[in-house]
Amino acid sequence: MYDQARGDILFVILYSVVMAMALLSGCYLLFSKTNAFVPDITPPRRLRRWTGVFLASVAVNQVWCMRLFFLSSNEDIMMADLVGGLIQSVTILPVAIVVLLAMLQDRRRPLWPFAMMIAPAVSGMAACVVSRSDALYPVIYAYDLPLIIAIITYMVRASRQYGRWLRDNYADLEHKEIWRSLIVLAIILLAFIVNEFCDKAPVYEYAMLGVTATLICYLLWRVETLSDLSTPVNDVEEDGDCKLPPTDCQLTPAEDDDLPLSFRNTIERLLKQNCEEPQLYLQHDISITQLAKQIGTNRTYLSKYFALLGITYNSYINGLRIRHFIKICHEATASHQPMTTKQLAYQSGFRSYSTFNAAFKQSMGMTATEWMHSMAG
C-alpha cells in the first residue's frame, strides 16, 4: 500500500513537470519575440504562434486530467474522462493539424476539409458527454485510426510537393526541409493512438509522459530551427528591368511550350555573365527570385529556362558549386596547400557538409573522399 502511494506521488510529480513544460514552452513561443536557441534564425511567425497555442492546449488538457487523481467516484472519474476527451478533440487535434500545415510555407492550404474530417469524432465525443456514457468509444476509436492515417498520408504528399518547391526556389535547403520532422511527429502521434487502445497500466502512463515531454521538446526545437520563408518567391518582378528581347519579355506563363531559341540563349548568356563569372553561386541562401533580379530577368522566365533543361534551381546552383570545388581542389593540390574536404566544401558555397556530400555523389557518382583518393592515385 505504501509503495503504491509513493508511486502515485511520483507520477503526479512527473505529470506536473510535463504540464509545466508545456505551459512554459507555449508561453515562450506566444510572447517571446526573440529566438533564445538559434539567434541567427528567424522562425515563421505563423508556425511559432500556432505551436504556442498547441502547447498551451496540451497544458490545459493536462490540468483538466490532473483532477482525475483526486476523484474517488467511478461516475465522476468517467464523466471527467469524457469531458477531457471532448476538450482534446476540439483543441489538440485541430491545432496539431494547423501546426503541421504551417510548416509548409509554399502556400496556404484550406482548413475546411480537415474540419469536416474531425467533425464526426467531435460529435461522437459530445454525444458521450451528453449521454454520460462511453458506449460510443469503440466507434470513435475505430474512426480515429483511419482519420490519423489519412492526415499522415496527406502530409506525406504535401511535404513531397513542398520539397519540390524548395528545390525550385532555393539554393540552400538547410533549416528549410521538414520531411524528417513529419516522420518524427507521425511516430509520436501513432504512439498516442496505440496508447488509446492499450490497457492503462502504469508502464503505459509513464511511457506517455515521456512521449509527451519528447513532443514538447521536439516541437520547440523544430520551430526555433526552421527558417521563415515568407518572402514571396512567387512574385514576378516588374518587366521593365527585363534584359530579354522585347518579344520574349511579352511571353506569358502559359506559353511553356515551343519557347523561342532567343529566349534560352539570352537567359544562358545572362546567367554566365551575372552568376557564373562573378561566382554569385557562392553566396549563401540566394533564392531564384534574388538571382533573377540580379541577372536582370524575373522568376517566371528563369523557372521556364531551368524546366527546359530538365533541372531544378537547386541542382543548377549546386552543380556550379561542385565545379568550383573541383577547381579549387586541383589548385590546392598543385600548390601543395593542405586543405580538408570540408574546408573546400565551405569555400565552394555549401553551408552543410552533409548537403555537399549528397550533391557531390549525385553529380559525380562517388563521394568527395573517394574522388579525392582517385585523383591522388
Side-chain angles (χ1 to χ4, degrees), residues 20-30 51-52 55-56 216-217 220:
M21 285 177 58
L23 181 60
L24 292 175
S25 299
C27 291
Y28 164 73
L29 293 178
L30 287 171
T51 305
L55 293 177
I216 294 169
C217 295
L220 190 60

Side-chain angles (χ1 to χ4, degrees), residues 12-210:
V12 171
I13 292 174
L14 294 177
Y15 193 92
S16 301
V17 170
V18 174
M19 180 180 65
M21 285 177 58
L23 181 60
L24 292 175
S25 299
C27 291
Y28 164 73
L29 293 178
L30 287 171
F31 302 113
S32 175
K33 297 182 179 180
T34 60
N35 189 336
F37 297 88
V38 190
D40 59 332
I41 291 180
T42 301
R45 292 181 59 187
R46 180 168 177 257
L47 175 62
R48 187 184 179 100
R49 180 173 65 249
W50 279 107
T51 305
V53 172
F54 173 78
L55 293 177
S57 301
V58 171
V60 169
N61 279 273
Q62 296 275 79
V63 170
W64 176 265
C65 293
M66 177 78 77
R67 67 196 305 268
L68 293 173
F69 299 132
F70 307 101
L71 297 176
S72 56
S73 169
N74 290 335
E75 184 178 354
D76 291 341
I77 292 175
M78 184 185 71
M79 195 60 194
D81 188 53
L82 293 175
V83 174
L86 178 60
I87 295 174
Q88 289 180 11
S89 64
V90 298
T91 56
I92 290 184
L93 183 56
V95 178
I97 293 174
V98 177
V99 169
L100 291 174
L101 294 178
M103 291 184 183
L104 305 170
Q105 301 182 65
D106 53 338
R107 60 185 175 88
R108 292 288 185 94
R109 289 167 170 79
L111 297 177
W112 64 264
F114 298 97
M116 293 182 63
M117 294 168 64
I118 296 173
V122 174
S123 300
M125 290 305 306
C128 289
V129 173
V130 172
S131 63
R132 305 176 68 90
S133 170
D134 58 0
L136 288 177
Y137 264 23
V139 178
I140 296 173
Y141 289 156
Y143 180 79
D144 283 348
L145 185 58
L147 170 64
I148 297 301
I149 293 176
I151 293 173
I152 292 175
T153 302
Y154 174 87
M155 288 305 302
V156 169
R157 293 183 59 188
S159 65
R160 293 182 64 182
Q161 295 173 352
Y162 179 68
R164 289 193 292 269
W165 176 80
L166 285 178
R167 284 161 178 78
D168 286 337
N169 290 281
Y170 292 96
D172 300 297
L173 303 184
E174 291 79 17
H175 306 299
K176 297 180 181 67
E177 293 186 294
I178 63 163
W179 63 271
R180 294 184 185 89
S181 301
L182 293 179
I183 292 175
V184 173
L185 293 174
I187 293 173
I188 293 175
L189 190 58
L190 288 174
F192 277 103
I193 296 175
V194 170
N195 179 67
E196 292 295 329
F197 289 94
C198 292
D199 182 28
K200 296 299 188 293
V203 63
Y204 289 114
E205 299 291 352
Y206 282 104
M208 291 314 300
L209 283 180

